[in-house]
């Protein structure tokens, strides 16, 4: 229904507001392109007399999947209650008359559209995403002398489009027509071979095949054509635009009939012939459909391409026109092809200099990138005598036997149409006389002497050796002398390496194994003397050098014990002075030994011990005697600590008495010392145990004289809980009850004095150790 009669400016903003408030699924700015095609399946029931032809209609819709665009129309399987898929439908016209009913369409399948930049050597640097949704259905149509039109319309377009005026306020129409000539031949329309391009690169050449295939082999002609409006809001009034017929809503209940209005180009920069803008080049081959050019304006563009279908022969008949409308992003891209060689160095002119040391076979290694963008390699090298050497593989193999410097070139993608796909590397191959690194060393057997390294290197052309670089295979610094002497600090087999460099920059190296397994000149142990208390555990550290774990060791500890470890640990059970013997044998059989006299001194040690009396002191008797029971001690000392480990009391030995203040767990540590100086220690825990007592009197006199005026049990109640006292009269009536340890019966019941005589009582409680206790008895009330 039309908008109310408002001021034009008010109508404009009201319509814009309504458009903005629509759910995403009810706007078509996510649909960025489309095309129809039809396939004639023959007459109904294969019977021409029915006059009804069956067609398979296919619609390709293209969806922008960047950001939060809506889903495809027609039951997109990804829909949710919060993001439903809008109903999909098209309209069918015969001539300019609406052909009932409106066709409801459902999404058959969808898939991502591949990015085809039309240039194999570029990669896009911006996020690009489109999907193709395919709708297919069967339609039966009576053969007619009028044209059928299949049409899909939606408002509105992507607001980022730069080659159309107010794209957010205009819609799109995708359609195809079934002419009487096509009906008469049961013709099928051509089908595009590939999806449309969704991105190309700014200021870069591209070539993209937009060709189509026709099942009947009819003649196809390609051209640019205008994208069509599909309704929207009028920028001047805010009312919905009217096409040649009408457009009844943003999501139309019924699409409008043919013909359709062309989109408003942003003129003069853009038009049907300059869809990428004046200054850009854009062409389509009318025979092959190849789209080519160089864009200069970045951003989103709408393009329209049509393919006309004609019969072949001297009098061609027009059959159909298939229009493809698509959205194309002109993006910033990066080049992927760069010529690069594994060179020795670059010269002042930027040429790769490759040094070959020694004539003969050689390989120049290619490091050009990106390999997937490189389709061809061309090598050219001017060899000895001006001979041209060529190759077409990635790496270049040569076999030059004459000394000299030769110039060459390597070309990437030589025949590519795109200049950015091509690159060249100019190089120089220097062929120089060979050289041979060699050396020998002196042998070290048992004495840990330095090793002399003697250089034996030679050159084939008599060229000068400029540098020597020795790596002795250990952690010591490298050496640049010609004939160095080296002292190894540890034993082992070392890979010694000599690298030589001649005046031409050629490098060669030699590696030799050097064995170094001498015996130590002196056996050194740590500690140099060992003192300990029985039983004494001692670790002997072997500091002799050079040794490692490949050497053999024999230890004798002087008490009958022995070991073959490098750094053994031994326990001496008895007191005394002990000699220690050690022998070392190298992997080459070199032997050295030594005896260390009176190295270990093991002395008597005391045994700490004490006891408590009583073992469980209580609140009734909190004093505890701590009694020394150590063996062999000359002096004793005690430290009492709380649960924080902090000492709260100390006392000398051997015995002392300590009063416990509360039930906190305490630790008592005894330190004892032997006359030899050896010490021992022991720690025991102690705590105060709470004990309860109970005593019940047998009579009381509640006469107010202040003596025995109430009856209650007497006792020590510390730590006791759950106390209950009950008293009964002779008739079994409970006349008093309390849970208060300090409360007593005053001889009354319900406010009146109880008569003199006998009464029964019972008491229950849980003692300080958590055990239940119960008592009962009788009492006499005396008045």
């Amino acid at each position: 229904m039309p908008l109310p009669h408002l001021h034009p400016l008010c109508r404009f903003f009201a319509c814009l507001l309504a458009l903005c408030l629509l759910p995403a699924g009810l706007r078509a700015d996510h649909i960025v392109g489309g095309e129809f095609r039809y396939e004639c399946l023959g007459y109904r029931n294969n019977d021409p007399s029915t006059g009804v032809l069956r067609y398979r209609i296919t619609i390709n819709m293209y969806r922008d999947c960047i950001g939060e665009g809506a889903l495809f129309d027609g039951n997109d399987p990804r829909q949710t209650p919060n993001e439903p898929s809008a109903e999909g439908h098209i309209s069918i016209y015969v001539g300019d008359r609406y052909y009932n009913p409106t066709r409801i369409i459902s999404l058959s399948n969808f898939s991502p559209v591949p990015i085809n930049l039309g240039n194999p050597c570029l990669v896009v640097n911006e996020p690009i995403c489109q999907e193709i949704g395919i709708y297919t259905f069967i339609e039966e149509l009576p053969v007619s002398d009028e044209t059928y039109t299949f049409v899909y319309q939606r408002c509105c377009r992507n607001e980022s489009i730069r080659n159309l005026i107010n794209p957010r306020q205009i819609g799109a129409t995708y359609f195809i027509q079934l002419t009487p000539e096509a009906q008469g031949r049961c013709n099928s329309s051509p089908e595009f071979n590939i999806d449309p391009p969704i991105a190309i690169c700014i200021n870069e050449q591209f070539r993209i095949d937009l060709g189509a295939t026709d099942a009947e082999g009819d003649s196809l002609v390609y051209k640019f054509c205008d994208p069509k409006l599909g309704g929207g809001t009028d920028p001047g009034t805010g009312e919905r635009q009217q096409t040649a017929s009408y457009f009844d809503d943003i999501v139309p209940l019924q699409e409008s009939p043919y013909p359709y209005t062309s989109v408003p180009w942003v003129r003069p920069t853009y038009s049907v012939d300059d869809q990428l803008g004046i200054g850009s080049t854009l062409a389509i081959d009318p025979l092959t459909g190849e789209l080519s050019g160089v864009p200069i304006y970045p951003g989103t563009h709408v393009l329209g391409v049509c393919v006309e279908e004609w019969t072949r022969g001297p009098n061609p008949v027009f059959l159909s026109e298939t229009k493809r409308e698509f959205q194309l992003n002109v993006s910033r891209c990066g080049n992927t092809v760069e010529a690069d060689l594994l060179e020795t160095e670059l010269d002042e002119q930027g040429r790769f200099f490759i040094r070959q040391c020694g004539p003969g076979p050689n390989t120049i290694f290619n490091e050009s990138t990106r390999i997937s963008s490189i389709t061809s390699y061309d090598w050219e090298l001017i060899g000895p005598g001006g001979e041209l050497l060529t190759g077409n593989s990635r790496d270049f193999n040569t076999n030059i036997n004459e000394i000299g410097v030769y110039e060459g070139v390597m070309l990437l993608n030589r025949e590519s149409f795109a200049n950015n796909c091509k690159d060249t590397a100019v190089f120089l191959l220097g062929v120089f006389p060979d050289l041979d690194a060699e050396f020998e060393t002196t042998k070290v057997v048992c004495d840990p002497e330095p090793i002399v390294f003697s250089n034996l290197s030679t050159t084939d052309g008599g060229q000068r050796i400029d540098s020597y670089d020795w790596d002795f295979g250990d952690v010591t610094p490298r050496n640049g002398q010609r004939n160095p002497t080296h002292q190894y600090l540890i034993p082992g087999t070392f890979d010694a390496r000599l690298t030589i460099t001649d005046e031409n920059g050629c490098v060669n190296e030699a590696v030799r194994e050097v064995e170094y397994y001498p015996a130590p000149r002196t056996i050194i142990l740590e500690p140099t003397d060992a003192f300990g208390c029985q039983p004494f555990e001692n670790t002997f550290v072997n500091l002799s050098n050079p040794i490692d774990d490949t050497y053999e060791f024999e230890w004798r500890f002087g008490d009958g014990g022995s070991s073959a470890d490098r750094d053994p640990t031994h326990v001496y059970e008895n007191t005394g002075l002990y000699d220690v013997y050690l022998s070392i044998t190298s992997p080459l059989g070199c032997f050295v030994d030594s005896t260390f006299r009176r190295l270990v001194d093991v002395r008597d040690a005391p045994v700490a011990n004490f006891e408590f009396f009583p073992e469980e002191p209580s609140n009734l008797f909190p004093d505890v005697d701590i009694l020394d029971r150590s063996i062999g001690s000359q002096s004793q000392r005690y430290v009492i600590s709380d649960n924080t480990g902090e000492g709260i009391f100390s006392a000398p030995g051997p015995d002392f008495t300590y009063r416990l203040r509360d039930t906190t767990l305490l630790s008592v540590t005894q330190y004892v010392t032997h006359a030899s100086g050896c010490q021992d220690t022991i720690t025991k825990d102690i705590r105060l145990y709470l004990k309860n007592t109970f005593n019940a009197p047998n009579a009381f006199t509640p006469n107010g004289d202040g003596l025995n005026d109430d009856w209650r049990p007497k006792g020590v109640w510390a730590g006791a809980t759950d106390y209950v006292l009950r008293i009964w009269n002779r008739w079994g009536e409970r006349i008093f009850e309390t849970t208060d340890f300090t409360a007593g019966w005053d001889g009354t019941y319900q406010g009146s004095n109880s008569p003199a005589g006998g009464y029964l009582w019972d008491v229950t409680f849980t003692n300080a150790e958590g055990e239940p206790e119960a008592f009962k008895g009788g009492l006499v009330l005396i008045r």
Side-chain angles (χ1 to χ4, degrees):
M1 59 183 288
L3 291 170
H5 292 287
L6 300 172
H7 186 278
L9 188 61
C10 295
R11 288 199 301 269
F12 173 60
F13 284 109
C15 190
L16 280 181
L17 178 62
L19 179 62
C20 294
L21 293 178
L22 276 174
L26 298 182
R27 302 196 306 268
D29 51 350
H30 62 295
I31 300 298
V32 296
E35 72 218 29
F36 277 76
R37 73 175 185 271
Y38 60 81
E39 178 186 359
C40 184
L41 304 177
Y43 285 96
R44 177 193 292 170
N45 301 324
N46 295 319
D47 183 0
S49 66
T50 62
V52 177
L53 285 170
R54 299 178 71 247
Y55 289 91
R56 177 181 290 111
I57 309 298
T58 300
I59 313 170
N60 293 339
M61 293 290 181
Y62 300 98
R63 169 183 176 268
D64 188 345
C65 42
I66 292 290
E68 299 181 356
L71 301 173
F72 283 112
D73 297 349
N75 297 317
D76 191 312
R78 297 167 292 186
Q79 66 180 330
T80 65
N82 295 328
E83 188 182 5
S85 175
E87 181 183 79
H89 63 75
I90 67 167
S91 296
I92 306 173
Y93 285 87
V94 54
D96 59 359
R97 301 184 308 281
Y98 183 62
Y99 181 82
N100 287 321
T102 295
R103 165 62 70 172
I104 303 300
I105 58 175
S106 294
L107 184 66
S108 301
N109 59 71
F110 66 92
S111 60
V113 177
I115 296 177
N116 177 9
L117 300 176
N119 187 315
C121 304
L122 295 172
V123 289
V124 67
N125 293 330
E126 300 172 358
I128 301 293
C129 178
Q130 284 188 29
E131 293 176 338
I132 178 174
I134 301 175
Y135 303 80
T136 302
F137 60 92
I138 303 297
E139 189 70 35
E140 293 187 343
L141 298 173
V143 176
S144 173
D145 58 1
E146 295 186 274
T147 296
Y148 286 98
T149 302
F150 295 82
V151 57
Y152 169 93
Q153 291 178 326
R154 272 296 187 92
C155 178
C156 297
R157 294 178 183 268
N158 193 322
E159 64 183 346
S160 65
I161 296 170
R162 69 174 294 165
N163 60 346
L164 303 183
I165 298 175
N166 298 321
R168 185 70 167 174
Q169 299 171 19
I170 60 175
T173 295
Y174 311 127
F175 71 98
I176 197 168
Q177 293 187 307
L178 183 56
T179 65
E181 291 77 7
Q183 298 173 54
R185 289 173 168 79
C186 191
N187 178 69
S188 296
S189 65
E191 178 181 357
F192 285 103
N193 296 326
I194 63 173
D195 294 331
I198 63 176
I200 54 178
C201 299
I202 188 170
N203 297 320
E204 298 289 355
Q205 293 175 281
F206 70 89
R207 288 183 184 176
I208 299 173
D209 177 19
L210 288 188
T213 300
D214 185 73
E216 294 88 5
D218 292 323
S219 176
L220 303 181
V221 178
Y222 302 89
K223 65 179 184 179
F224 292 120
C225 52
D226 283 309
K228 299 300 182 181
L229 289 177
T233 61
D234 181 74
T237 67
E239 294 182 341
R240 286 180 287 276
Q241 290 182 356
Q242 306 298 308
T243 63
S245 177
Y246 62 92
F247 186 81
D248 61 17
D249 211 334
I250 289 172
V251 181
L253 302 177
Q254 178 180 320
E255 281 83 358
S256 59
Y258 183 83
Y260 303 110
T261 305
S262 297
V263 295
W265 297 101
V266 178
R267 299 182 184 275
T269 304
Y270 296 95
S271 66
V272 66
D273 296 319
D274 290 295
Q275 299 187 33
L276 293 180
I278 294 175
S280 300
T281 59
L282 180 65
I284 189 166
D285 189 305
L287 300 180
T288 66
E290 182 183 71
L291 189 70
S292 62
V294 178
I296 65 171
Y297 301 108
T300 305
H301 297 73
V302 170
L303 273 71
V305 171
C306 290
V307 52
E308 294 179 347
E309 180 187 13
W310 297 77
T311 61
R312 295 186 182 275
N315 299 304
V317 176
F318 176 77
L319 297 176
S320 72
E321 180 179 86
T322 300
K323 183 173 76 71
R324 165 179 274 181
E325 182 181 320
F326 57 98
Q327 179 174 290
L328 183 63
N329 285 78
V330 178
S331 304
R332 296 176 179 85
C333 301
N335 197 7
T336 63
V337 173
E338 180 181 3
D340 189 18
L341 302 178
L342 180 61
E343 79 285 355
T344 306
E345 59 193 49
L346 292 175
D347 70 3
E348 294 179 353
Q349 301 179 38
R351 296 176 298 184
F352 297 91
F353 187 82
I354 300 162
R355 183 177 288 106
Q356 177 182 337
C357 298
N362 183 58
T363 298
I364 301 176
F365 292 99
N366 197 332
E367 295 185 334
S368 302
T369 57
R370 180 173 60 173
I371 294 179
S372 60
S373 299
I374 302 173
T375 59
S376 67
Y377 303 89
D378 287 278
W379 296 83
E380 294 179 356
L381 176 66
I382 301 175
E387 179 186 3
L388 181 63
L389 307 177
T390 62
N392 300 109
S393 60
R394 178 169 173 81
D395 299 325
F396 187 39
N397 296 315
T398 63
N399 190 358
I400 297 175
N401 293 300
E402 294 185 21
I403 304 302
V405 177
Y406 305 94
E407 186 170 1
V409 64
M410 187 271 297
L411 301 97
L412 301 178
N413 299 328
R414 190 175 200 168
E415 303 300 328
S416 175
F417 74 90
N419 290 331
N420 66 291
C421 278
K422 303 175 183 179
D423 202 10
T424 300
V426 179
F427 64 93
L428 298 176
L429 175 62
V431 181
F432 298 101
D434 207 352
L435 69 166
D436 182 38
E438 185 57 87
F439 66 92
E440 65 181 7
T441 66
T442 56
K443 302 293 185 182
V444 170
V445 182
C446 291
D447 291 330
E449 298 174 343
I451 294 179
V452 177
F453 291 80
S454 299
N455 170 51
L456 303 177
S457 303
T458 59
T459 60
D460 289 353
Q463 67 271 28
R464 181 182 67 254
I465 298 177
D466 283 346
S467 69
Y468 301 87
D469 182 26
W470 295 89
D471 179 355
F472 300 113
D474 55 5
V475 297
T476 57
R478 303 168 86 95
N479 189 294
Q481 298 177 355
R482 181 173 181 175
N483 298 297
T485 298
H486 181 66
Q487 176 68 63
Y488 286 98
L489 302 178
I490 58 175
T493 299
F494 301 94
D495 288 331
R497 186 184 308 270
L498 168 62
T499 303
I500 60 173
T501 304
D502 69 11
E503 60 183 295
N504 299 317
C506 286
V507 178
N508 193 249
E509 68 176 24
V511 180
R512 301 288 181 266
E513 283 191 352
V514 178
E515 286 189 340
Y516 183 74
Y517 293 100
R521 286 195 173 97
T522 304
I523 294 179
I524 303 174
L525 300 185
E526 187 178 88
T528 55
D529 58 349
F531 161 79
C533 302
Q534 176 194 18
F536 174 51
E537 180 181 283
N538 185 59
T539 297
F540 297 89
V541 180
N542 190 346
L543 299 179
S544 309
N545 187 61
I547 60 171
D548 63 12
D549 290 337
T550 63
Y551 285 60
E552 294 180 359
F553 306 96
E554 180 185 2
W555 293 84
R556 300 174 194 165
F557 300 115
D559 64 347
S562 62
S563 175
D565 293 340
R566 174 179 172 175
D567 300 303
T569 297
H570 182 68
V571 177
Y572 289 90
E573 301 290 349
N574 301 312
T575 61
L577 293 172
Y578 297 94
D579 298 337
V580 176
Y581 169 83
L582 171 61
S583 69
I584 302 174
T585 305
S586 78
L588 301 181
C590 300
F591 178 85
V592 64
D593 66 348
S594 184
T595 299
F596 298 83
R597 303 295 181 184
R598 302 168 67 89
L599 178 66
V600 178
D601 182 2
V602 182
R603 301 182 183 182
D604 288 328
V607 178
N609 194 20
F610 64 92
E611 64 182 17
F612 302 116
F613 183 81
E615 291 184 358
E616 294 186 354
S618 69
N619 54 319
L620 303 178
F621 303 99
D623 290 341
V624 57
D625 293 329
I626 299 175
L627 306 174
D628 175 42
R629 296 292 182 263
S630 64
I631 300 173
S633 65
Q634 186 180 51
S635 63
Q636 306 82 27
R637 184 171 63 89
Y638 299 88
V639 174
I640 299 178
S641 306
D642 59 17
N643 54 12
T644 66
E646 182 177 353
I648 59 175
F649 180 81
S650 63
D655 308 321
F656 71 102
T657 300
Y658 183 75
R659 172 163 290 185
L660 298 171
R661 309 296 180 186
D662 52 40
T663 58
T664 301
L665 183 68
L666 300 178
S667 296
V668 181
T669 301
Q670 181 191 56
Y671 300 89
V672 297
T673 303
H674 188 271
S676 66
C678 291
Q679 296 181 334
D680 193 20
T681 182
I682 189 172
T683 299
K684 297 182 180 181
D685 294 335
I686 191 171
R687 71 178 179 87
L688 182 74
Y689 292 84
L690 294 178
K691 301 292 183 181
N692 301 124
T693 62
F694 181 86
N695 181 41
N698 55 14
F700 76 113
T701 57
N703 53 16
D705 63 357
L707 299 174
N708 297 323
D709 284 336
D710 64 7
W711 185 93
R712 78 187 75 180
K714 312 295 182 183
V716 176
W717 306 112
T721 59
D722 305 326
Y723 175 81
V724 178
L725 164 64
R726 297 180 298 178
I727 299 177
W728 285 268
N729 61 23
R730 69 184 65 182
W731 295 283
E733 185 178 12
R734 187 173 63 202
I735 61 175
F736 179 76
E737 181 173 349
T738 184
T739 58
D740 184 353
F741 286 103
T742 64
W745 181 42
D746 62 1
T748 64
Y749 177 57
Q750 296 181 348
S752 301
N753 290 330
S754 297
Y759 294 84
L760 298 175
W761 59 268
D762 66 17
V763 171
T764 60
F765 64 90
T766 301
N767 66 26
E769 298 299 323
E771 299 171 347
E773 296 203 31
F775 301 90
K776 61 185 176 179
L779 65 91
V780 177
L781 188 157
I782 302 174
R783 290 198 180 275

